[in-house]
Amino acid sequence: MDFQGILDRLVAIRAPGLVKSDEPRKADPKDKKDKGRAGDPFVIVEARELAEFVRACRDDDRLHFEQLVDLTATDPSKDAAELWINVQLLSLKFRHRLAIKAFLPKNAASMPSLVPVYRASQWHERECGEMFGIRFEGHPDPRNILLPDDWAGYPLRKDYEFPKEYHGISCE
Amino acid sequence: MANEVTKTMPPSTRLRRTDASEVTVDIRTPDLEINFGPQHPATHGVMRVLMRTDGELVTGAQPHLGYLHRCAEKIGENVEWLQYLPYTDRYDYLASMNNNLGYSLAVEALLGVEIPRRATLIRIICAELNRIGSHLVAFGTYGLDIGAFTPFLYCFREREWMMSLFEKICGARLTYSYIRIGGVFNDAPPGWFEEVARFCDVFEQKWPEYVDLLLVNQIYVKRTANVGVISREMALDFGLSGTMVRGSGIDWDLRRDMPYMCYGEIWRDGAYKIPVAKGEMGTLGDCWDRSWVRVMEMMESIKIVRWCLDHMVDGPVIGELPKTLKVPAGEAYVGIENPRGELGHYVVSDGGKVSVRTRVRGPSFCNLAVLEDILPGSLVGDAVAIIGSTDIVVGETDR
């Protein structure tokens, strides 16, 4: 199924939390500030409803997204008030993908965990937790995965300041 | 200290002795926690698996990563698009060509640049040769893990030639940075394609040796069959990919099912097949099935290389790109079939010279997550066989 087909189906099954879709477009020649957008189309979903949304995607027999390929976050800029959550779903049966984006406020970055739906998200959520400071409610094991347990700050946030020393090791 | 960490482990479900009254002859012993790694040859890098054992039985396992963490994703936000390419070499250092390719394709998805046909074919040749090399290491060192030394030397004999082929085309033996955004770095030197063809012929003759020496060897089969079984459902739930899903009997390969470059065309020509495990030696999804898939895939890669050599065209090897690359604003996710599974790059650009986000979805990272579930219930001796069969490269799990 192509993106439009998936979107129509999502609307038809009233997938919870679906806000809108965002498709690549060419720049408007009249508006000099408009740069257009390249890349893949994606759907925007309410962060609080994301777990239920992917559950609907997995269980629907015409979407059939058996796999969660990737879950990550993005900090678009230093001044941005919101982080993005980016999820990639894959259907092996119908050979299609779906990119999902959700927004989380930086100062209250917390959302329900996707682990009850896909166990694949377990390690991805741990990584998002340590790198972006996102709390996944109901995660079975929310420890750091790549960083040491006592690491301060969230390295992939744009306002992260590089440490000057770590346990007596100078980093300058 | 170790006790502190295992508190977070899920309680064991397969303890043989649950009640003290059952113990009559044997002395009841407490569960023992052992660290497998971080400095252990069978972890293929620096990784630690904390195992809780009850005698010879593993009752809980917890991988600890991060010893090789080099912040690849953060570096991606601080260097220019082209400058990031050498860093891609360093996550899965056994398949650097494939990593270069994955990143290049992701950036090209935003750029919309046209890749010359000759560059595409050279890319496929390099990616497939590198896949053979990667599977040779996976298969050879797997034998080494479970006690067979000789096949490892056989595997490295062929891999040596593959690496000298890469040395001829780009000057490096391990970290190539050869596949660039827009095409490849330079054209193949004179006589290179002929040598690749010779390599294919020789490899085809040598390949049965691996099967005879190790794959169908009774000792090897006894060590790997019915060990570390990953069911179909588990493979899907954990987001496994590549040889791990094919080893569990799922017919899925991104090269055929979501074709990129001209893999779709090669498939339509009937040049290659996708080997899918059938559980010949034991249960479907065991360690033997996964190594079988890898051995079979080497021959399929040879066929793809041959197809590209037959269809080689003349022309430029890199598209027209400015020296300082500015990538149009947008975001794209591109997943390709790496030797270890789906290598995904999610890139976000705001139209500038530096990326906003470079996300790497490493297949080893996702494949490793399944260890927590398949290790409990196995014997300590089999733990090495199970970890080896997931074929992880720690450079990629930690990035």
mmCIF file of all heavy atoms in Angstrom, chain B residues 3 11 29 67 94 105 115 120 131 137-138 140 151 182-183 187 198 218 223 235 260 277 298 302 314 356 384 386 399:
data_model
loop_
_atom_site.group_PDB
_atom_site.id
_atom_site.type_symbol
_atom_site.label_atom_id
_atom_site.label_comp_id
_atom_site.label_asym_id
_atom_site.label_seq_id
_atom_site.Cartn_x
_atom_site.Cartn_y
_atom_site.Cartn_z
ATOM 1 N N ASN B 3 24.815 -8.054 42.884
ATOM 2 C CA ASN B 3 23.475 -8.274 43.406
ATOM 3 C C ASN B 3 22.579 -7.075 43.159
ATOM 4 O O ASN B 3 21.408 -7.204 42.880
ATOM 5 C CB ASN B 3 23.547 -8.523 44.916
ATOM 6 C CG ASN B 3 23.709 -9.996 45.201
ATOM 7 O OD1 ASN B 3 23.048 -10.794 44.565
ATOM 8 N ND2 ASN B 3 24.589 -10.320 46.119
ATOM 9 N N PRO B 11 12.121 -12.086 37.474
ATOM 10 C CA PRO B 11 12.333 -13.303 38.253
ATOM 11 C C PRO B 11 12.405 -14.523 37.337
ATOM 12 O O PRO B 11 11.751 -14.583 36.300
ATOM 13 C CB PRO B 11 11.116 -13.366 39.161
ATOM 14 C CG PRO B 11 10.119 -12.457 38.553
ATOM 15 C CD PRO B 11 10.859 -11.425 37.799
ATOM 16 N N THR B 29 22.476 -24.863 46.651
ATOM 17 C CA THR B 29 23.428 -23.769 46.470
ATOM 18 C C THR B 29 22.679 -22.514 46.049
ATOM 19 O O THR B 29 21.660 -22.609 45.366
ATOM 20 C CB THR B 29 24.457 -24.115 45.374
ATOM 21 O OG1 THR B 29 23.752 -24.556 44.219
ATOM 22 C CG2 THR B 29 25.411 -25.171 45.830
ATOM 23 N N TYR B 67 30.285 0.115 26.290
ATOM 24 C CA TYR B 67 31.740 0.206 26.458
ATOM 25 C C TYR B 67 32.409 0.823 25.231
ATOM 26 O O TYR B 67 33.520 1.311 25.319
ATOM 27 C CB TYR B 67 32.338 -1.169 26.733
ATOM 28 C CG TYR B 67 31.903 -1.748 28.061
ATOM 29 C CD1 TYR B 67 30.823 -2.607 28.148
ATOM 30 C CD2 TYR B 67 32.578 -1.417 29.228
ATOM 31 C CE1 TYR B 67 30.419 -3.135 29.354
ATOM 32 C CE2 TYR B 67 32.185 -1.938 30.438
ATOM 33 C CZ TYR B 67 31.103 -2.793 30.503
ATOM 34 O OH TYR B 67 30.701 -3.302 31.694
ATOM 35 N N LEU B 94 32.881 -4.450 10.117
ATOM 36 C CA LEU B 94 33.046 -5.592 9.215
ATOM 37 C C LEU B 94 32.290 -5.374 7.908
ATOM 38 O O LEU B 94 32.452 -6.124 6.968
ATOM 39 C CB LEU B 94 32.557 -6.874 9.887
ATOM 40 C CG LEU B 94 33.363 -7.314 11.100
ATOM 41 C CD1 LEU B 94 32.758 -8.546 11.701
ATOM 42 C CD2 LEU B 94 34.800 -7.574 10.703
ATOM 43 N N LEU B 105 22.596 6.711 0.773
ATOM 44 C CA LEU B 105 21.238 6.618 0.223
ATOM 45 C C LEU B 105 20.271 7.515 0.994
ATOM 46 O O LEU B 105 19.372 8.116 0.411
ATOM 47 C CB LEU B 105 20.741 5.168 0.264
ATOM 48 C CG LEU B 105 21.353 4.214 -0.765
ATOM 49 C CD1 LEU B 105 20.862 2.809 -0.520
ATOM 50 C CD2 LEU B 105 21.013 4.629 -2.180
ATOM 51 N N ILE B 115 21.985 9.118 -9.594
ATOM 52 C CA ILE B 115 23.234 8.371 -9.468
ATOM 53 C C ILE B 115 23.536 7.706 -10.807
ATOM 54 O O ILE B 115 22.680 7.010 -11.359
ATOM 55 C CB ILE B 115 23.115 7.289 -8.374
ATOM 56 C CG1 ILE B 115 22.544 7.878 -7.088
ATOM 57 C CG2 ILE B 115 24.458 6.624 -8.100
ATOM 58 C CD1 ILE B 115 23.337 8.999 -6.500
ATOM 59 N N THR B 120 26.131 2.903 -9.506
ATOM 60 C CA THR B 120 25.207 1.996 -8.820
ATOM 61 C C THR B 120 25.715 0.565 -8.874
ATOM 62 O O THR B 120 25.690 -0.159 -7.868
ATOM 63 C CB THR B 120 23.816 2.088 -9.468
ATOM 64 O OG1 THR B 120 23.395 3.436 -9.433
ATOM 65 C CG2 THR B 120 22.815 1.242 -8.734
ATOM 66 N N ARG B 131 29.539 -8.057 2.044
ATOM 67 C CA ARG B 131 28.624 -8.977 2.735
ATOM 68 C C ARG B 131 29.267 -10.359 2.860
ATOM 69 O O ARG B 131 29.207 -10.988 3.913
ATOM 70 C CB ARG B 131 27.303 -9.077 1.952
ATOM 71 C CG ARG B 131 26.205 -9.867 2.677
ATOM 72 C CD ARG B 131 24.980 -10.042 1.813
ATOM 73 N NE ARG B 131 24.556 -8.810 1.173
ATOM 74 C CZ ARG B 131 23.796 -7.889 1.758
ATOM 75 N NH1 ARG B 131 23.365 -8.077 2.965
ATOM 76 N NH2 ARG B 131 23.456 -6.803 1.107
ATOM 77 N N VAL B 137 33.537 -13.703 8.398
ATOM 78 C CA VAL B 137 33.971 -13.466 9.774
ATOM 79 C C VAL B 137 32.952 -14.056 10.743
ATOM 80 O O VAL B 137 33.300 -14.740 11.709
ATOM 81 C CB VAL B 137 34.155 -11.964 10.040
ATOM 82 C CG1 VAL B 137 34.513 -11.735 11.494
ATOM 83 C CG2 VAL B 137 35.226 -11.401 9.159
ATOM 84 N N ALA B 138 31.675 -13.796 10.468
ATOM 85 C CA ALA B 138 30.624 -14.275 11.374
ATOM 86 C C ALA B 138 30.699 -15.788 11.505
ATOM 87 O O ALA B 138 30.663 -16.341 12.613
ATOM 88 C CB ALA B 138 29.260 -13.865 10.839
ATOM 89 N N GLY B 140 33.238 -17.886 10.538
ATOM 90 C CA GLY B 140 34.528 -18.377 11.017
ATOM 91 C C GLY B 140 34.704 -18.198 12.508
ATOM 92 O O GLY B 140 35.066 -19.127 13.218
ATOM 93 N N PRO B 151 38.300 -23.927 10.572
ATOM 94 C CA PRO B 151 37.453 -23.219 9.586
ATOM 95 C C PRO B 151 37.666 -21.716 9.598
ATOM 96 O O PRO B 151 37.552 -21.060 8.568
ATOM 97 C CB PRO B 151 36.032 -23.571 10.039
ATOM 98 C CG PRO B 151 36.168 -24.798 10.831
ATOM 99 C CD PRO B 151 37.493 -24.739 11.487
ATOM 100 N N GLY B 182 26.239 10.632 -3.717
ATOM 101 C CA GLY B 182 26.250 10.946 -5.147
ATOM 102 C C GLY B 182 26.859 9.871 -6.014
ATOM 103 O O GLY B 182 26.695 9.901 -7.227
ATOM 104 N N GLY B 183 27.554 8.908 -5.438
ATOM 105 C CA GLY B 183 28.145 7.862 -6.264
ATOM 106 C C GLY B 183 29.230 7.141 -5.510
ATOM 107 O O GLY B 183 29.057 6.797 -4.350
ATOM 108 N N ASP B 187 36.786 5.628 -10.006
ATOM 109 C CA ASP B 187 36.506 4.456 -10.833
ATOM 110 C C ASP B 187 37.429 3.308 -10.439
ATOM 111 O O ASP B 187 38.472 3.513 -9.830
ATOM 112 C CB ASP B 187 36.721 4.835 -12.310
ATOM 113 C CG ASP B 187 35.845 3.993 -13.203
ATOM 114 O OD1 ASP B 187 35.384 2.929 -12.734
ATOM 115 O OD2 ASP B 187 35.613 4.391 -14.359
ATOM 116 N N ARG B 198 37.491 -13.334 -11.149
ATOM 117 C CA ARG B 198 38.334 -14.457 -10.748
ATOM 118 C C ARG B 198 38.057 -14.854 -9.303
ATOM 119 O O ARG B 198 37.966 -16.027 -8.968
ATOM 120 C CB ARG B 198 39.816 -14.081 -10.905
ATOM 121 C CG ARG B 198 40.461 -14.672 -12.138
ATOM 122 C CD ARG B 198 41.982 -14.766 -12.092
ATOM 123 N NE ARG B 198 42.712 -13.725 -11.407
ATOM 124 C CZ ARG B 198 42.983 -12.516 -11.893
ATOM 125 N NH1 ARG B 198 42.529 -12.162 -13.084
ATOM 126 N NH2 ARG B 198 43.689 -11.664 -11.201
ATOM 127 N N GLN B 218 29.268 -33.080 12.431
ATOM 128 C CA GLN B 218 28.398 -33.590 13.497
ATOM 129 C C GLN B 218 28.576 -32.839 14.817
ATOM 130 O O GLN B 218 27.598 -32.553 15.513
ATOM 131 C CB GLN B 218 28.670 -35.078 13.715
ATOM 132 C CG GLN B 218 27.748 -35.972 12.915
ATOM 133 C CD GLN B 218 26.280 -35.643 13.144
ATOM 134 O OE1 GLN B 218 25.785 -35.698 14.255
ATOM 135 N NE2 GLN B 218 25.573 -35.287 12.073
ATOM 136 N N ARG B 223 26.312 -28.988 18.663
ATOM 137 C CA ARG B 223 26.448 -27.800 19.504
ATOM 138 C C ARG B 223 25.399 -26.726 19.191
ATOM 139 O O ARG B 223 25.084 -25.882 20.032
ATOM 140 C CB ARG B 223 27.839 -27.163 19.309
ATOM 141 C CG ARG B 223 28.986 -27.806 20.022
ATOM 142 C CD ARG B 223 28.870 -27.828 21.520
ATOM 143 N NE ARG B 223 28.644 -26.530 22.159
ATOM 144 C CZ ARG B 223 29.589 -25.701 22.548
ATOM 145 N NH1 ARG B 223 30.845 -25.991 22.354
ATOM 146 N NH2 ARG B 223 29.295 -24.557 23.135
ATOM 147 N N ALA B 235 10.694 -13.166 16.800
ATOM 148 C CA ALA B 235 11.508 -12.429 15.831
ATOM 149 C C ALA B 235 10.791 -11.156 15.388
ATOM 150 O O ALA B 235 11.414 -10.106 15.226
ATOM 151 C CB ALA B 235 11.818 -13.317 14.631
ATOM 152 N N TYR B 260 16.071 -1.226 -3.421
ATOM 153 C CA TYR B 260 16.753 0.042 -3.595
ATOM 154 C C TYR B 260 17.833 -0.188 -4.631
ATOM 155 O O TYR B 260 18.189 -1.328 -4.918
ATOM 156 C CB TYR B 260 17.344 0.536 -2.271
ATOM 157 C CG TYR B 260 18.127 -0.508 -1.504
ATOM 158 C CD1 TYR B 260 19.505 -0.570 -1.593
ATOM 159 C CD2 TYR B 260 17.476 -1.441 -0.724
ATOM 160 C CE1 TYR B 260 20.216 -1.530 -0.900
ATOM 161 C CE2 TYR B 260 18.187 -2.416 -0.032
ATOM 162 C CZ TYR B 260 19.552 -2.445 -0.127
ATOM 163 O OH TYR B 260 20.253 -3.417 0.544
ATOM 164 N N ALA B 277 15.570 -20.319 6.337
ATOM 165 C CA ALA B 277 15.808 -21.544 7.106
ATOM 166 C C ALA B 277 14.548 -22.400 7.179
ATOM 167 O O ALA B 277 13.433 -21.888 7.203
ATOM 168 C CB ALA B 277 16.278 -21.177 8.501
ATOM 169 N N MET B 298 26.239 -16.258 1.147
ATOM 170 C CA MET B 298 27.502 -15.926 0.480
ATOM 171 C C MET B 298 27.423 -16.260 -1.002
ATOM 172 O O MET B 298 27.831 -15.472 -1.852
ATOM 173 C CB MET B 298 28.638 -16.728 1.108
ATOM 174 C CG MET B 298 29.013 -16.301 2.495
ATOM 175 S SD MET B 298 30.451 -17.250 2.970
ATOM 176 C CE MET B 298 30.151 -17.506 4.684
ATOM 177 N N ILE B 302 27.592 -13.849 -4.493
ATOM 178 C CA ILE B 302 28.454 -14.081 -5.656
ATOM 179 C C ILE B 302 27.650 -13.940 -6.952
ATOM 180 O O ILE B 302 28.093 -13.314 -7.919
ATOM 181 C CB ILE B 302 29.090 -15.495 -5.566
ATOM 182 C CG1 ILE B 302 30.150 -15.525 -4.468
ATOM 183 C CG2 ILE B 302 29.665 -15.934 -6.898
ATOM 184 C CD1 ILE B 302 31.448 -14.841 -4.833
ATOM 185 N N ASP B 314 29.774 1.841 -19.185
ATOM 186 C CA ASP B 314 30.756 2.911 -19.031
ATOM 187 C C ASP B 314 30.052 4.191 -18.612
ATOM 188 O O ASP B 314 28.848 4.333 -18.810
ATOM 189 C CB ASP B 314 31.486 3.147 -20.362
ATOM 190 C CG ASP B 314 32.493 2.033 -20.628
ATOM 191 O OD1 ASP B 314 32.978 1.454 -19.636
ATOM 192 O OD2 ASP B 314 32.758 1.732 -21.798
ATOM 193 N N VAL B 356 20.484 18.155 11.231
ATOM 194 C CA VAL B 356 19.829 18.425 12.508
ATOM 195 C C VAL B 356 19.810 17.148 13.348
ATOM 196 O O VAL B 356 19.944 17.188 14.564
ATOM 197 C CB VAL B 356 18.390 18.935 12.267
ATOM 198 C CG1 VAL B 356 17.612 19.033 13.567
ATOM 199 C CG2 VAL B 356 18.422 20.271 11.573
ATOM 200 N N VAL B 384 27.534 -19.232 24.985
ATOM 201 C CA VAL B 384 28.502 -18.754 23.998
ATOM 202 C C VAL B 384 27.969 -19.004 22.584
ATOM 203 O O VAL B 384 28.047 -18.139 21.704
ATOM 204 C CB VAL B 384 29.864 -19.455 24.203
ATOM 205 C CG1 VAL B 384 30.825 -19.081 23.106
ATOM 206 C CG2 VAL B 384 30.438 -19.086 25.551
ATOM 207 N N ILE B 386 24.902 -19.207 21.673
ATOM 208 C CA ILE B 386 23.749 -18.347 21.377
ATOM 209 C C ILE B 386 24.203 -16.923 21.070
ATOM 210 O O ILE B 386 23.766 -16.315 20.088
ATOM 211 C CB ILE B 386 22.755 -18.361 22.557
ATOM 212 C CG1 ILE B 386 22.131 -19.752 22.692
ATOM 213 C CG2 ILE B 386 21.667 -17.322 22.359
ATOM 214 C CD1 ILE B 386 21.305 -19.952 23.917
ATOM 215 N N ARG B 399 27.577 2.185 18.924
ATOM 216 C CA ARG B 399 27.726 3.334 18.014
ATOM 217 C C ARG B 399 28.592 4.422 18.627
ATOM 218 O O ARG B 399 28.137 5.480 18.960
ATOM 219 C CB ARG B 399 26.376 3.897 17.614
ATOM 220 C CG ARG B 399 25.549 2.893 16.838
ATOM 221 C CD ARG B 399 24.265 3.510 16.415
ATOM 222 N NE ARG B 399 23.440 3.900 17.501
ATOM 223 C CZ ARG B 399 22.683 3.074 18.216
ATOM 224 N NH1 ARG B 399 22.659 1.822 17.933
ATOM 225 N NH2 ARG B 399 21.944 3.513 19.204
#
